[in-house]
Amino acid sequence: MPQFTYRARNAQGGLVEGVLDCPDRAVAIRQIELQQCIPIRIELAAAEAKAAAGRDGAVPVAATQSLKIPHGQLLIFTEQLANLLQAGMTLDEGLSVLEKRLKQPRLHQVTHALHQSLIDGRSFSQALREFPRAFTPLYVNLVAAGEASGALPQILLRLVKHLMQAKELRDRVQQALIYPAILSIAGVALVVLFVTFMVPKLAGFMAQVQTGGQLPFATRTLLQVHHLVVGYWWVGALLAVGGIVAFRIFVRSNEGRIAWDRFRLAIPGYGRVIRHRYYAQFARTLGTLLENGVPLLRALDLVTEIAGNRFLEVKLAEVRRAVIDGATLSAALAEQKIFPDLFTDMMAVGEQTGHFGETVQTIADVY
């Protein structure tokens, strides 16, 4: 009977190696999975010896930690890897197939580096951590949870769903903001055009038809504005540059950043869109983490990291401290007054019924 050498990860994340006597690879994979391990590499003993000899002379993979993968490519990578693992391939085989199949240069580089890290004995989550710009802490922690539970293909499929929902949410926010942004830009451009070019012609026309006395007050006011814009535009430009520089210095300080991020949430119209986007993102991410076995405190750390708003980060740090002291998450959030009453009331119901993960996913759908 053929012998297969294998390398796998156990539930604690440790590396396990051994030899199995099996009629074929499919049986070997099933035996490893029955031991609550995730197979990384399975090969015939003779083939393994040749592969090891080849690796001894391999050239190390160049560092690609600075690479950033676009959201769409990350979605493709995750979905295809999940499908390959669901089809019965090992992680090593799946990455090898993707390395040959994916043609995008950055994605190909990252996949090659991940495959090499796996061959060198690192876990998949450890390999992902070497690319912080490509894989978020949320992504890496969910993969680590999948490795620990032996359900990596299922975790990857849930990650695909999460990434698709995040993309849909971002697209909706952009669509909600792009129309008022275009209107604002067009409005400013029209005002500048009118004051600069149309006002002098309008004043000349009014002077010709005026039978006596002064020009109307509105016309005189527009002329004064025109003279200011044409004669002292450089003053406005200097003030604008100075304002931008002062603003950048202000937001570099911790207090300034917190104040600005808090103000952004209070801007009429824009602030409401941003707040509701964060409500949905917070609930969706928290639910995904908890449903995949990530502890609550670690999940709070992760949703804090992806907040993108210093004011919210400070508030969530207070929430985490309250939870450590024994408060429920809904009570801690209600105390900070950063979420609406409906949000915290629905969360409290989920805590009382024992269906917290499903409830926060429902909250995400609401917002």
Side-chain angles (χ1 to χ4, degrees):
M1 186 175 292
Q3 284 190 330
F4 291 87
T5 60
Y6 70 89
R7 179 179 295 174
R9 291 279 172 185
N10 59 24
Q12 291 73 41
L15 187 64
V16 179
E17 296 181 337
V19 180
L20 293 173
D21 293 325
C22 300
D24 54 41
R25 285 188 77 263
V27 175
I29 292 173
R30 285 196 295 271
Q31 287 192 15
I32 295 171
E33 291 177 341
L34 287 174
Q35 300 173 17
Q36 299 298 314
C37 293
I38 300 175
I40 297 174
R41 192 178 187 87
I42 301 175
E43 292 187 353
L44 286 169
E48 174 66 16
K50 292 180 181 179
R55 288 198 299 271
D56 290 340
V59 179
V61 179
T64 54
Q65 285 82 350
S66 60
L67 288 176
K68 185 176 182 180
I69 302 176
H71 189 92
Q73 293 183 19
L74 179 61
L75 181 60
I76 292 172
F77 170 83
T78 308
E79 184 175 20
Q80 293 195 6
L81 181 59
N83 291 334
L84 291 173
L85 297 182
Q86 286 278 81
M89 286 190 177
T90 64
L91 190 55
D92 172 67
E93 290 174 327
L95 289 174
S96 178
V97 169
L98 290 182
E99 186 180 347
K100 298 173 184 176
R101 180 186 299 175
L102 298 175
K103 304 302 181 183
Q104 298 89 344
R106 292 184 182 181
L107 194 55
H108 177 79
Q109 282 183 279
V110 170
T111 305
H112 175 71
L114 292 174
H115 188 205
Q116 187 61 46
S117 295
L118 208 66
I119 293 174
D120 293 340
R122 286 189 286 276
S123 69
F124 189 39
S125 58
Q126 288 173 339
L128 292 175
R129 284 192 178 93
E130 297 177 1
F131 303 91
R133 298 193 64 196
F135 303 98
T136 64
L138 166 67
Y139 193 106
V140 175
N141 278 271
L142 284 179
V143 168
E147 289 176 324
S149 62
L152 185 57
Q154 292 79 8
I155 294 291
L156 289 174
L157 288 175
R158 293 181 185 178
L159 260 173
V160 170
K161 182 179 178 182
H162 177 81
L163 291 171
M164 292 177 66
Q165 290 168 336
K167 183 179 184 301
E168 181 183 1
L169 177 61
R170 187 178 65 249
D171 291 344
R172 285 186 178 184
V173 172
Q174 290 176 347
Q175 291 170 7
L177 294 177
I178 191 169
Y179 182 65
I182 291 175
L183 285 182
S184 300
I185 294 172
V188 171
L190 285 173
V191 169
V192 171
L193 180 65
F194 178 75
V195 170
T196 306
F197 299 103
M198 299 302 297
V199 166
K201 296 181 180 180
L202 178 62
F205 172 75
M206 293 292 291
Q208 291 177 4
V209 301
Q210 189 76 19
T211 57
Q214 291 184 330
L215 291 172
F217 174 76
T219 306
R220 296 200 309 273
T221 302
L222 283 174
L223 281 173
Q224 291 173 357
V225 172
H226 165 74
H227 292 315
L228 284 173
V229 171
V230 174
Y232 299 95
W233 62 267
W234 54 273
V235 176
L238 288 177
L239 290 175
V241 172
I244 293 172
V245 172
F247 172 76
R248 289 183 175 274
I249 294 174
F250 176 70
V251 296
R252 280 178 185 171
S253 66
N254 187 52
E255 295 79 8
R257 188 73 209 183
I258 293 173
W260 168 244
D261 284 345
R262 183 175 186 175
F263 173 74
R264 286 172 56 207
L265 298 175
I267 297 175
Y270 170 83
R272 183 177 184 276
V273 174
I274 297 301
R275 288 197 308 272
H276 280 71
R277 175 188 183 275
Y278 182 68
Y279 298 157
Q281 176 183 286
F282 177 91
R284 184 75 68 198
T285 305
L286 183 64
T288 301
L289 290 167
L290 296 178
E291 286 181 343
N292 288 285
V294 177
L296 177 59
L297 291 178
R298 179 56 184 156
L300 284 175
D301 289 337
L302 292 172
V303 294
T304 300
E305 290 178 15
I306 65 172
N309 185 293
R310 190 74 185 97
F311 173 71
L312 291 175
E313 290 175 5
V314 172
K315 289 292 186 180
L316 289 175
E318 294 293 332
V319 169
R320 188 182 190 279
R321 278 192 283 269
V323 172
I324 292 175
D325 291 339
T328 62
L329 180 57
S330 60
L333 289 174
E335 182 68 23
Q336 295 300 321
K337 302 186 184 305
I338 55 176
F339 290 91
D341 293 339
L342 175 63
F343 190 105
T344 53
D345 288 344
M346 291 180 68
M347 183 176 285
V349 172
E351 290 170 336
Q352 293 169 6
T353 60
H355 299 285
F356 186 73
E358 297 91 331
T359 301
V360 290
Q361 293 284 13
T362 303
I363 294 172
D365 294 334
V366 169
Y367 284 98

